[in-house]
Amino acid sequence: MLKGKTALVTGSTSGIGLGIALALARQGANIMLNGFGDIQGPKSEVAALGVQVDHHGADMSRASDIEDMVNATKARFGSVDILVNNAGIQHVSRIENFPVERWDAIIAINLTSAFHTTRLVLPGMLAANNGQGWGRIINVASVHGLVGSAEKSAYVAAKHGIVGLTKVTALENATTGVTCNAICPGWVLTPLVQKQVDARAAAGNISNADATRQLLAEKEPSLQFTTPEELGDLAVFFCSPAGNNVRGVAWNMDGGWAAQ
Ligand code: NAD
């Protein structure tokens, strides 16, 4: 379905971003990966699906790195047809103790980076398809873009912000072939959440399994993690023809978290 298209997925060396990159690659899209840590492993996983893949190491807190990444993607693949703004970090602390530097980093990586990538890819998307426009911008927000949780001030502010940015991006391009939507996962067992499970196990002097059960029971009625594969399939839906008129939604995949 996406053969010949190029997807730039930020923060895709791990977790949800990698899951979405693999789902888009399965549909034939070429992939520009981004993120830190092991790069060869994710690159090989994507390449095994028979598409072209590259990696750019842009630090998503730096506007100049982001500009370089978008230019490098266009130079390597010719265009950016699908943009997935996924890179994100977390820090858990009450507001009065929240390190200022962590606040700035979370807002920069989880929110401002999506403004930069979006403004840089939009002209190309609007010119695509003989000037009629074609593009998909998918923002990985969170259930924390819809509801709050204590001790996550910067994260909740950034995620509510990206849901707002999603709506404005969708509205400004509503008469074109460029859509913008957000995905709002509940708990997904990635390194970002494993750190929170570990902290809970240490604080309560309980096993990892008990800490995991507690974490789910507190917020997620299904008592199940959402998987990167499920989130990847939702991203594929947004890119499909059936998604042509889905504009500005913040779609939660959260086991009932926000329904309470
Ligand atoms: P993860 O830690 O597994 O992956 C984060 C990715 O972002 C990695 O590839 C990492 O290298 C990259 N990254 C981090 N800082 C970066 C930077 N400065 N520049 C470039 N890349 C950077 O986390 P995840 O759980 O897969 O999270 C991905 C997204 O999903 C985040 O936006 C997160 O807020 C969101 N999310 C996660 C959950 C969850 O339960 N795991 C729930 C809702 C939303």
Side-chain angles (χ1 to χ4, degrees), residues 11 13-14 16 36 58-60 86 109 141 155 159 185-186 188 190-191 193:
T13 49
S14 161
I16 295 169
F36 305 141
D59 179 338
M60 296 305 289
N86 166 79
I109 295 166
Y155 189 85
K159 294 301 186 180
V188 186
T190 65
V193 163

Side-chain angles (χ1 to χ4, degrees), residues 64-115:
S64 55
D65 279 24
I66 295 170
E67 193 160 347
D68 192 63
M69 176 179 67
V70 171
N71 289 337
T73 310
K74 288 181 189 164
R76 171 75 169 78
F77 296 112
S79 60
V80 180
D81 307 295
I82 300 163
L83 167 66
V84 182
N85 289 309
N86 166 79
I89 57 169
Q90 175 64 286
H91 184 83
V92 180
S93 170
R94 283 179 58 88
I95 291 172
E96 64 271 30
N97 303 325
F98 212 93
V100 171
E101 160 279 319
R102 286 289 84 195
W103 172 279
D104 288 344
I106 289 175
I107 299 298
I109 295 166
N110 296 19
L111 176 58
T112 308
S113 71
F115 160 67

Side-chain angles (χ1 to χ4, degrees), residues 17-51:
L18 180 57
I20 292 177
L22 290 168
L24 296 174
R26 261 178 228 115
Q27 298 298 321
N30 296 325
I31 305 291
M32 179 62 95
L33 297 168
N34 158 257
F36 305 141
D38 175 31
I39 289 155
Q40 234 14 269
K43 260 180 113 170
S44 307
E45 271 189 79
V46 175
L49 297 168
V51 299

